[in-house]
């Protein structure tokens, strides 16, 4: 049932603090991360020299956070490849390669086909999935389950943030197992993860501005998302969400790239939504926003609270402060609310967007 919410999608958006907490807690034991029957020894994990994240759509956009963090926090060369490309353009894989496959349903044909190829080459495979004993689990050496519960809305919301939580936990597990992080740092990260659901609630308690923003976005047939570094990953998810349920054509760009051609598309009142949570690129992204504003764009910013007072957009949204690498699990909720409110303002069938199925079982 929708439990009083107007759509399943909205209900699922509001379930995120709970499912993220459940996903985190399911692996926490006395302050440590425990994966029951995990098949790889510390020695094997220390030999991993290449990581590939695969998936489709939203699951891919969650997964790319894994490869980003693997580079940053494990110091391992890491790549992200869409499942549908991976299987026809196989990298060199061996037992020191780790494949992380992300799939809510665990039944997506492209991802299954890619895993079959990776298996033949002897790579280690870990799946992150929401469905117990789904097909993906049979092709993987180990499965980490997200506890999002059934997702009825066709567009992925709570599955995405619970995938991010599972990814953060798995990165911390690997970092500790391979000696890349010391005990006290590890504890700090875990404490920060525990505080995430409360921060997500804060975002969900203050949704007034999204209707105003939706009323601006709904007037145009195209929109842009921009962001740098980890914020670009959220921008891609935000663009997919907005186009998928509102049918407004939306593209995401690394903020610095827009001026290399695509800025030609900006006209009077074109919405440009920026995600700004990373200190080292904040000023740069702000100046990209100024460039599009000078060409008539309406600018919308999703900022970390640390930038309050420094915002320069027509509409500004703030998410609570967290560790640099954890912002996507917060900004995700803002991009969902932008998509949701825009789709509602246009009277779209949010739970069942046209042409889409919940699980894609053909390649
Ligand atoms: C977007 C969406 C899709 C799925 C994709 C992968 O909102 O729902 O992009 O994320 O089809 O599906 P799974 O995760 O089941 O492999």
């Amino acid at each position: 049932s929708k439990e009083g919410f107007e759509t399943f999608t909205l209900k699922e958006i509001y379930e995120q603090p709970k499912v993220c907490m459940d996903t985190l807690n399911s692996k926490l034991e006395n302050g440590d991360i425990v994966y029951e029957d995990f098949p790889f020894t510390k020695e094997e994990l220390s030999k991993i020299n290449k990581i590939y994240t695969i998936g489709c759509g939203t699951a891919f956009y969650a997964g790319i956070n894994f490869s980003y963090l693997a580079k940053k926090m494990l110091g391992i060369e890491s790549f992200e490849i869409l499942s549908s490309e991976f299987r026809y353009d196989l990298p060199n894989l061996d037992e020191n390669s780790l494949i992380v496959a992300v799939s809510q349903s665990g039944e997506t044909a492209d991802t299954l086909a890619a895993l079959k190829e990776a298996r033949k080459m002897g790579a280690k495979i870990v799946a992150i999935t929401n469905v117990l004993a789904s097909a993906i689990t049979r092709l993987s050496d180990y499965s980490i389950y997200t506890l999002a519960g059934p997702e009825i809305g066709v567009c992925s919301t709570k599955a995405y943030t619970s995938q991010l939580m599972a990814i953060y936990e798995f990165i911390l597990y690997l970092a500790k197992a391979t000696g890349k992080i010391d005990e006290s740092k590890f504890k700090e990260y875990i404490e920060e993860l525990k505080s995430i659901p409360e921060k997500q609630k804060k975002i969900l308690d203050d949704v007034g501005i999204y209707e105003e923003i939706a009323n601006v976005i709904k007037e145009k047939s195209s929109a842009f998302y921009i962001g740098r570094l980890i914020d670009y990953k959220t921008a891609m998810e935000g663009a997919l969400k907005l186009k998928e349920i509102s049918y407004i054509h939306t593209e995401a760009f690394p903020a610095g790239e827009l001026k290399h051609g695509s800025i030609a598309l900006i006209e009077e009142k074109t919405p440009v939504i920026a995600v700004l949570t990373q200190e080292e690129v904040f000023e740069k992204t702000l100046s990209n926003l100024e460039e599009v504003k000078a060409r008539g764009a309406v600018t919308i910013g999703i900022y970390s609270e640390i930038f309050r007072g420094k915002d320069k957009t027509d509409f500004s949204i703030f998410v609570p402060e967290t560790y640099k690498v954890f912002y996507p699990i917060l900004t995700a909720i803002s991009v969902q609310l932008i998509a949701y409110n825009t789709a509602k303002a246009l009277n779209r069938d949010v739970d069942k967007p046209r042409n889409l199925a919940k699980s894609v079982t053909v390649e």
Side-chain angles (χ1 to χ4, degrees):
S1 99
K2 295 181 198 157
E3 290 165 24
F5 287 97
E6 59 187 8
T7 59
F8 283 109
T9 304
L10 192 62
K11 171 180 165 250
E12 289 161 3
I13 287 174
Y14 275 84
E15 280 172 349
Q16 291 178 105
K18 179 180 184 308
V19 302
C20 287
M21 183 58 101
D22 290 348
T23 298
L24 174 67
N25 283 341
S26 67
K27 303 294 181 229
L28 280 187
E29 255 173 56
N30 302 321
D32 210 358
I33 298 167
V34 179
Y35 293 119
E36 223 177 294
D37 301 323
F38 193 69
F40 309 127
T41 62
K42 285 184 180 175
E43 223 171 48
E44 287 173 314
L45 292 177
S46 300
K47 285 193 193 142
I48 289 172
N49 55 22
K50 278 207 177 73
I51 293 180
Y52 294 90
T53 319
I54 65 169
C56 307
T58 289
F60 180 70
Y61 296 139
I64 57 185
N65 283 273
F66 186 84
S67 31
Y68 184 82
L69 295 182
K71 265 177 270 182
K72 293 262 157 197
M73 296 175 69
L74 309 177
I76 300 176
E77 248 196 304
S78 304
F79 307 88
E80 54 237 18
I81 308 182
L82 286 161
S83 304
S84 53
E85 294 285 313
F86 185 93
R87 72 154 300 189
Y88 296 106
D89 190 13
L90 284 175
N92 278 325
L93 302 172
D94 59 30
E95 72 276 10
N96 297 327
S97 319
L98 173 68
I99 310 279
V100 175
V102 185
S103 173
Q104 186 281 128
S105 64
E107 304 290 345
T108 300
D110 287 323
T111 302
L112 298 178
L115 284 186
K116 280 181 195 149
E117 298 303 322
R119 254 189 107 76
K120 281 188 216 155
M121 297 174 79
K124 295 183 163 51
I125 303 175
V126 172
I128 297 180
T129 182
N130 197 38
V131 181
L132 273 177
S134 50
I136 201 174
T137 64
R138 293 191 291 274
L139 290 169
S140 305
D141 297 301
Y142 193 72
S143 298
I144 297 173
Y145 290 101
T146 49
L147 295 182
E151 196 177 57
I152 311 289
V154 164
C155 84
S156 180
T157 54
K158 63 175 180 169
Y160 177 67
T161 46
S162 61
Q163 283 158 359
L164 288 176
M165 185 57 97
I167 281 169
Y168 299 156
E169 224 173 356
F170 189 37
I171 281 285
L172 289 174
Y173 176 86
L174 293 174
K176 196 174 160 190
T178 58
K180 300 280 164 53
I181 192 174
D182 65 31
E183 187 64 36
S184 74
K185 260 263 166 297
F186 177 82
K187 288 219 156 78
E188 279 174 41
Y189 274 104
I190 296 289
E191 284 311 306
E192 185 58 27
L193 283 183
K194 286 186 188 161
S195 78
I196 292 286
E198 276 308 312
K199 293 176 182 180
Q200 292 177 317
K201 270 187 205 158
K202 263 199 158 155
I203 301 170
L204 291 165
D205 282 346
D206 184 18
V207 294
I209 192 169
Y210 294 97
E211 243 175 83
E212 261 180 84
I213 293 172
N215 283 328
V216 171
I217 298 177
K218 74 161 195 215
E219 296 300 327
K220 299 299 280 189
S221 56
S222 86
F224 296 93
Y225 258 98
I226 60 172
R228 287 170 185 258
L229 305 174
I230 212 166
D231 292 331
Y232 171 53
K233 308 192 186 317
T234 309
M236 286 190 271
E237 169 60 6
L240 178 61
K241 217 90 301 178
L242 182 57
K243 77 178 84 157
E244 182 179 7
I245 61 173
S246 77
Y247 313 151
I248 292 172
H249 179 244
T250 314
E251 254 191 289
F253 291 96
E257 183 61 16
L258 201 56
K259 61 181 174 296
H260 295 288
S262 305
I263 200 167
L265 293 168
I266 303 285
E267 42 178 58
E268 206 53 43
K269 301 253 164 60
T270 302
V272 178
I273 309 160
V275 187
L276 305 105
T277 66
Q278 304 291 300
E279 195 117 46
E280 71 268 42
V281 290
F282 177 71
E283 292 297 334
K284 285 265 158 67
T285 304
L286 267 193
S287 65
N288 299 136
L289 280 168
E290 271 162 18
E291 286 157 20
V292 295
K293 204 179 160 122
R295 288 157 180 85
V298 178
T299 55
I300 299 148
I302 303 169
Y303 299 87
S304 158
E305 186 61 45
I306 58 173
F307 300 124
R308 196 181 278 275
K310 293 188 182 155
D311 56 305
K312 285 191 180 152
T313 33
D314 298 313
F315 296 91
S316 300
I317 297 163
F318 295 93
V319 303
E321 183 174 357
T322 184
Y323 287 9
K324 275 178 76 83
V325 292
F326 295 154
Y327 275 106
I329 203 168
L330 300 180
T331 50
I333 297 185
S334 294
V335 306
Q336 292 163 2
L337 289 168
I338 288 175
Y340 187 85
N341 282 275
T342 307
K344 279 314 267 184
L346 291 166
N347 282 315
R348 306 299 192 214
D349 183 353
V350 177
D351 282 343
K352 285 201 188 77
R354 68 187 179 206
N355 307 341
L356 291 171
K358 183 69 189 162
S359 158
V360 184
T361 52
V362 289
E363 279 176 49

